Every structure is written in C-alpha cells, then in structure tokens.
C-alpha cells in the first residue's frame, strides 16, 4: 500500500513539474517537483510496487526535470551573466 | 560559437542540450557496462544515476553560488530587490563541475546506502562513463563560449564571435576542447580497463587522480579569472589537490585490500 501511495505522489509531482515549465521562474518549482517525482517513483519500485502509474511518474519526473533544467542550467558564464544580472538592478 | 539554438520559436541554450546529451550517454554507457560484468543490476545503476544526477545539479549550483558569493548583495538596494536579484542568479547563473562531481557522488552514495547496494561495485561500474558526460559538457562550454582560455594568437587558437562569456573577436586558447579531448581519452582508458576486469585496480581512484592532474594543469591556461582565486591558485586547483589526494588514498586502500601493498 505504501508503494502505491508513493507512485500516486510521483505521478502527481511529475504532472505538476511539466505544468510548471510554462510559468517562467515556476520552472524552478517544476525542477524541484520533478526531482521529488523521481525519488518517489524509485522508492515505490523499491517498496515492491511496479505498475504503469509508477513508470509514468518516473518518466514524467525525468522529462519535467530535464525540461525545467534547461532553463535552470547554464554554463559558468560568470562574467557575462553576473554583469548582466547586476545591470538589471 | 553558437550559445543558443532556436527550437519551436524558443531560444534553447546549447550547453543545456549538451548536458542532456551527456546525461543520456552516461546512462546508456553505465547500463551497458553493468550488463557486461553482471555484478550489479542495470536497473540499480539507472536509479543510482538518477540520484547522482539530482546530486550533481544541486552540488554544481551550490558550489557556483559559493564561489561567487561576493557579488550577492547589491548595496543600496532593498531586501526585496536583492531577493529578485538572487532569483535571477539562481536561475541563470553557472555550474561548477567539481561541485557536480561531489554532489553526484553523494547522491549515488545516498542511493547505495539507502537501498543496500554495494557501494564499491556500483561506483566502479559508473566511473568509466563519467568522463563521457564531462566530454559533452565541455563541448557545450565551447559552443556557449564559456570556461574559455587565455589570450593567445597562434596555432590552434580560436576566436569567438557570438560568445556570452568569452571576449568576442579575441584569439584564445581552446582550453574547453583540450579538456574535452582529455576526457574522451580518459573514458577510453577507463572503459578498456573495466572491460579487462582488473579487480585489483581502483578505477574510481584512477579517474580522480588522472582528472585532477589534467584539471590542475589546464587551469593555468584558463582566462576566466572571475571563478575565484586563493593564494595564486584557482578554487578548482585547490579542489584538484584534495581530489588527487583522495584518489591516491582509494588506490592505496584497494592495493592493500588486494595485498599488493602491505597494510
């Protein structure tokens, strides 16, 4: 039963992480939700619960993390980005 | 070179795409390596890599924030304005590889200890694929024009025209490509050693030693001074020294375990 609850949580977080992609800085929340979805899905599997819901949660979590991560990840563009950010304020 | 590409009307950073490509490459390679030796399940390796990926993202961002801490407070601005500024930095700033490496190791360690997976075997299986991820990462750096080399006008020099970080129109040492080539070489060597099943050799230790030496050397050719320096060495060089020492410890411990060296 615990595994099923984890899988449900994973699926919900996975879906929400995908929704967050469309909300600018919400991608940061989406990234966190995607990570939570992955962790819950792995824990569900390790608790012996493996069905479509667990797999969907895992896959949506990975997609959500990757897509939200694109907006979050940039290389060490320290000089350029920091200077640009400083000039905004 | 080309920091962004346009997909469906949205500008996507090439660095992020290369990081995703690298993550896919490390997953596929590590799973194949796990199946070759059959000492740990491919599923566990995949899940461990997911945990490592999460740790990598958090660690690399955290170290970036730590080394750039001196620019985090805008004098004369309110707390609200500073909070907005931090959000911009958090979502648009850079990543530091060593932070990612440490974070990934901690993430993988967390998975292994939580689900009782043999740590040594799991790490030995994944480590040969790590330089492959880094190889793609450095190609992403080159595309974005960050982590650039010092000014140098000679053979093999490159001149960026659309770089975000590097100075445009100035010939530079292509240090990102050197590191990418070094990582590819390291990946080849570690994979061959892994496939030859040398149980008396610590591949993790070997990787840490080889990479730290390479990174320490290449840091002298880096031109992006804003990454942080202390006592005439960059932060990455100090971390390289610590990583080198840790790698040596791992190698010696493995040799002692296999009775090659006395305890």
């Amino acid at each position: 039963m615990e595994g099923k609850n984890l899988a449900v949580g994973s699926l919900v977080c996975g879906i929400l992480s995908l929704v967050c992609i469309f909300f600018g800085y919400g991608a940061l929340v989406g990234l966190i939700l995607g990570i939570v979805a992955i962790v819950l899905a792995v824990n569900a599997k390790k608790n012996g619960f493996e069905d479509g819901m667990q797999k969907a949660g895992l896959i949506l979590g990975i997609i959500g993390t990757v897509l939200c991560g694109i907006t979050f990840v940039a290389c060490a563009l320290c000089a350029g980005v920091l200077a640009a950010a400083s000039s905004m304020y | 070179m080309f920091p962004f590409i346009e997909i469906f009307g949205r500008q996507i950073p090439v660095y992020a795409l290369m990081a995703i490509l690298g993550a896919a490459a490390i997953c596929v390679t590590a799973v194949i390596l796990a199946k070759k030796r059959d000492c740990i399940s491919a599923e566990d390796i995949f899940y461990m890599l997911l945990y490592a990926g999460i740790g990598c993202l958090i660690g690399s961002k955290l170290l970036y924030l730590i080394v750039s801490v001196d620019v985090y407070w805008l004098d004369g601005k309110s707390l609200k304005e500073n909070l907005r500024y931090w959000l911009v930095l958090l979502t648009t700033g850079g990543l530091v590889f060593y932070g990612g490496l440490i974070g990934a190791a901690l993430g993988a360690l967390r998975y292994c200890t939580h689900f009782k997976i043999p740590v040594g075997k799991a790490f030995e299986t994944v480590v040969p694929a790590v330089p492959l991820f880094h190889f793609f990462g450095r190609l992403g750096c080159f595309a974005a024009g960050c982590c650039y080399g010092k000014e140098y006008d000679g053979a093999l020099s490159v001149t960026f025209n659309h770089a975000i970080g590097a100075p445009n129109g100035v010939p530079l040492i292509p240090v990102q490509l050197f590191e990418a080539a070094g990582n590819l070489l390291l990946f080849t060597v570690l994979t061959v050693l892994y496939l030859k099943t040398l149980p008396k050799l610590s591949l993790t230790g070997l990787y840490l030693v080889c990479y730290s030496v390479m990174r320490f050397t290449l840091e002298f050719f880096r031109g992006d001074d804003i990454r942080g320096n202390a006592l005439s060495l960059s932060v990455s060089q100090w971390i390289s020294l610590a990583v080198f020492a840790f790698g040596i410890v791992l190698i010696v411990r493995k040799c002692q375990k296999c009775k090659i060296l006395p305890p």
Side-chain angles (χ1 to χ4, degrees), chain B residues 70-82:
Chain B
D70 54 330
V71 287
Y72 282 155
W73 188 261
L74 300 174
D75 290 331
K77 300 287 179 186
S78 68
L79 179 65
K80 193 180 168 188
E81 281 174 317
N82 267 294

Side-chain angles (χ1 to χ4, degrees), chain B:
Chain B
M1 288 292 150
F2 36 92
F4 297 98
I5 57 167
E6 208 171 289
I7 299 175
F8 300 123
R10 289 188 74 167
Q11 280 205 324
I12 308 292
V14 174
Y15 181 79
L17 287 182
M18 293 306 277
I20 292 166
L21 208 58
I26 193 176
C27 282
V28 172
T29 314
V31 166
I32 291 171
L33 291 178
K35 283 183 176 170
K36 287 272 180 198
R37 264 202 196 171
D38 209 20
C39 60
I40 190 161
S41 80
E43 188 186 78
D44 272 327
I45 289 294
F46 179 67
Y47 287 159
M48 191 185 87
L49 282 172
L50 289 178
Y51 271 58
I54 295 166
C56 176
L57 202 59
I58 296 169
S60 54
K61 199 72 189 180
L62 210 58
L63 191 58
Y64 167 77
L65 294 174
I66 290 168
V67 295
S68 331
V69 76
D70 54 330
V71 287
Y72 282 155
W73 188 261
L74 300 174
D75 290 331
K77 300 287 179 186
S78 68
L79 179 65
K80 193 180 168 188
E81 281 174 317
N82 267 294
L83 282 174
R84 278 188 63 203
Y85 170 62
W86 290 342
L87 199 60
V88 171
L89 287 181
L90 191 66
T91 50
T92 60
L95 300 170
V96 178
F97 173 74
Y98 266 133
L101 187 67
I102 295 164
L106 291 176
L109 203 61
R110 165 72 188 156
Y111 178 83
C112 290
T113 50
H114 190 64
F115 296 113
K116 297 181 176 58
I117 309 292
V119 178
K121 283 180 183 171
F123 272 64
E124 292 292 289
T125 307
V126 171
V127 151
V130 174
L132 191 60
F133 172 73
H134 203 177
F135 164 74
F136 282 104
R138 285 301 175 210
L139 289 185
C141 289
F142 186 70
C146 63
C147 309
Y148 53 92
K150 284 185 174 163
E151 201 176 321
Y152 158 76
D153 194 6
L156 297 175
S157 68
V158 290
T159 307
F160 291 98
N161 294 319
H162 306 288
I164 300 175
N168 288 308
V170 179
L172 304 167
I173 301 172
V175 73
Q176 311 98 321
L177 295 183
F178 292 160
E179 196 167 335
N183 274 306
L184 199 58
L185 183 69
L186 203 51
F187 163 69
T188 313
V189 171
L190 290 173
T191 307
V192 169
L193 289 174
Y194 179 86
L195 294 176
K196 284 191 178 298
T197 57
L198 296 172
K200 291 178 180 174
L201 186 66
S202 167
L203 290 181
T204 311
L206 188 66
Y207 166 68
L208 293 178
V209 167
C210 291
Y211 179 72
S212 58
V213 169
M214 179 172 77
R215 182 66 186 265
F216 189 90
T217 313
L218 286 175
E219 280 288 309
F220 288 113
F221 301 102
R222 290 273 290 261
D224 45 343
D225 292 331
I226 202 154
R227 289 164 303 120
N229 287 282
L231 298 173
S232 72
L233 289 180
S234 70
V235 172
S236 291
Q237 281 176 317
W238 283 110
I239 299 174
S240 290
L241 292 174
V243 168
F244 179 81
F246 185 61
I248 292 287
V249 168
L250 287 181
I251 292 172
V252 170
R253 275 185 61 182
K254 189 71 181 271
C255 289
Q256 285 174 340
K257 205 174 169 184
C258 298
K259 298 190 170 60
I260 295 172
L261 286 174

Side-chain angles (χ1 to χ4, degrees), chain A residues 66-89:
Chain A
V66 166
L67 291 182
C68 291
I70 286 179
T71 60
F72 186 67
V73 171
C75 191
L77 299 168
C78 312
V81 172
L82 290 182
S86 307
S87 66
M88 289 170 70
Y89 296 95

